Amino acid sequence: MRVLLSTIGSRGEVQPVLALASELRALGQDVRLCVPPDFRDWLDELGFDVVPIGPELRATGSSHHGKPTPEQIRKSTEDTVTTQFETISVAAEGCDVLVAGGALQFATRSIAQRSGAAYVYASFCPITLPSDLHAPPPMPWRSPGEKENRALWAEDAQRWNSFFGGKVNEFRAAAGQAPVDDLPGHVFGDRPWLAADAALAPWPEPGDPRIVQTGAWIWPDERPLPDELREFLDAGEPPVYFGFGSMRAPGAVAEAALAAARAHGRQAVVARGWADLVAADAPDCLGVGEVNQQALFKRVAAVVHHGGAGTTTAAARAGAPQVVVPQMYDQHYFAGRIRSLGLGAATDPGVPTVSSLTSALEVALRPEVASRAKAFSGRVRGDGASVAARHLLTTVPLASA
């Protein structure tokens, strides 16, 4: 069977897709990946067939990347839909199953329907899938005031249809397909998958037959830590890790991070991330690039991060206390989960300060939080990608797109 796995997100979306691809390949399946060009070299080295989609995303992590104008947003939405239809159509040739992972997957199901391939949509966080028991992810355009969850989801659907539906239906009409009037319902399909850990990010309706919760798709990272990092860790007490992934962040965040760590008598490891943060030239601070988080997080006193699904899961699985600094989308959900589970703390949304980081670390570095995080780590499963791969092979090819 030939499977296309598609995502247009950052590493937080690409690495789970890689995890599923690796499991499928181990089971003898032919796998193709359609991902942003930022990740092509990495996946090429791992021996996967890669089709790049869209422009490189890394530049969006810069704090100098300005807020888009309404006209830029309109053009961007049209370009996104066009790029997906043009690129995924080519990538999907000869494929039996198309799996769309993460947000803003507008074209994949239409392409599956044209070719007769099976289709699966996979989310990495519960609140990105509709339920009367939770609201959609917070967004800056959300209208103020108290509304029931169902009304908020209807508002979300209206915006999807308004921003993206017209362009999607243009491509569908050109291919002789009927228009869709509920774009999110079309994208999610009848039985979407939730690729999130059931202990950390459970679906709010246990036993709901509409959702397949596979568990988080975790790629087993076997890279050794760089010598410089290993020597830094060996030389003293466990440091505090600060990393904000693909998020925009001003350079002053690195200075605030070190000051907050020092306030608790800790050293700091600062990940450069897509914002290219520069760590202080000091013996108690080390800057790192892309490293094996699974190995590193087992050796730190706390993980301070943006709250992406992948980083939150990696830290929880490593047993590390966490401080979440949420900025957008599902990050607010994971901030709430870390607080409610007693695994750490969260700051207010926005740029973190010395004060906010110091206060949050005061909570995360408490001995009882460390004990709770270590105990919780045993509940976080690592077989979600394997579960998903077996499910794909045994059930999905029998379903229609």
Side-chain angles (χ1 to χ4, degrees), residues 1-4 29-32 91-98:
M1 183 171 69
R2 177 170 292 179
V3 183
L4 175 69
Q29 307 308 305
D30 186 1
V31 184
R32 180 177 296 156
E93 290 180 0
C95 291
D96 305 293
V97 182
L98 310 186

Side-chain angles (χ1 to χ4, degrees), residues 22-370:
S22 299
E23 291 290 343
L24 287 169
R25 184 168 67 177
L27 292 171
Q29 307 308 305
D30 186 1
V31 184
R32 180 177 296 156
L33 296 168
C34 188
V35 300
D38 310 68
F39 308 100
R40 180 170 190 169
D41 290 346
W42 173 40
L43 298 176
D44 278 344
E45 290 177 3
L46 294 173
F48 284 99
D49 180 7
V50 180
V51 177
I53 183 168
E56 290 194 355
L57 300 179
R58 186 179 177 91
T60 63
S62 168
S63 61
H64 303 294
H65 194 83
K67 184 177 180 180
T69 66
E71 177 59 25
Q72 288 173 324
I73 293 174
R74 182 198 63 77
K75 186 177 187 305
S76 176
T77 59
E78 293 186 353
D79 290 349
T80 294
V81 174
T82 298
T83 298
Q84 288 185 40
F85 271 97
E86 292 176 349
T87 305
I88 297 174
S89 292
V90 174
E93 290 180 0
C95 291
D96 305 293
V97 182
L98 310 186
V99 179
L104 304 180
Q105 293 284 326
F106 303 116
T108 309
R109 191 177 186 193
S110 295
I111 294 166
Q113 288 174 330
R114 293 178 194 172
S115 65
Y119 169 80
V120 174
Y121 175 80
S123 165
F124 303 123
C125 176
I127 64 164
T128 66
L129 295 172
S131 170
D132 289 347
L133 299 183
H134 59 226
M139 299 296 285
W141 48 261
R142 185 90 61 216
S143 58
E146 295 292 330
K147 290 186 178 180
E148 292 183 350
N149 291 334
R150 185 173 298 184
L152 291 172
W153 283 108
E155 185 179 87
D156 247 34
Q158 183 178 11
R159 189 170 181 88
W160 275 57
N161 293 332
S162 173
F163 267 69
F164 306 106
K167 199 68 177 177
V168 168
N169 283 331
E170 282 184 27
F171 279 94
R172 287 181 64 86
Q177 294 175 296
V180 294
D181 56 11
D182 174 16
L183 183 56
H186 166 77
V187 168
F188 297 149
D190 297 330
R191 202 166 186 232
W193 290 8
L194 176 55
D197 184 73
L200 179 63
W203 183 245
E205 305 174 59
D208 185 350
R210 300 170 301 162
I211 301 293
V212 177
Q213 184 156 16
T214 64
W217 299 350
I218 299 172
W219 178 61
D221 196 341
E222 298 176 351
R223 295 173 296 167
L225 295 176
D227 290 344
E228 184 182 24
L229 175 56
R230 185 168 41 78
E231 292 168 3
F232 183 81
L233 295 169
D234 290 342
E237 293 297 313
V240 176
Y241 168 89
F242 297 86
F244 303 99
S246 60
M247 293 292 98
R248 303 176 191 175
V253 167
E255 299 172 9
L258 178 56
R262 284 174 171 171
H264 292 283
R266 297 284 181 171
Q267 300 187 107
V269 172
V270 178
R272 288 188 284 273
W274 285 12
D276 287 326
L277 296 178
V278 178
D281 184 11
D284 60 347
C285 185
L286 179 68
V288 297
E290 173 58 45
V291 298
N292 181 345
Q293 291 184 341
Q294 295 169 19
L296 175 58
F297 288 177
K298 293 178 180 179
R299 302 197 58 185
V300 300
V303 175
V304 181
H305 62 101
H306 58 300
T311 307
T312 307
T313 303
R317 190 163 177 250
Q322 303 185 47
V323 170
V324 180
V325 185
Q327 304 297 310
M328 59 183 289
Y329 201 54
D330 61 345
Q331 297 166 13
H332 303 284
Y333 168 84
F334 285 108
R337 287 296 292 167
I338 293 304
R339 279 194 301 253
S340 65
L341 289 166
L343 304 180
T347 68
D348 290 334
V351 178
T353 64
V354 174
S355 176
S356 67
L357 291 175
T358 301
S359 296
L361 279 172
E362 192 280 324
V363 175
L365 293 173
R366 292 172 183 169
E368 63 269 24
V369 174

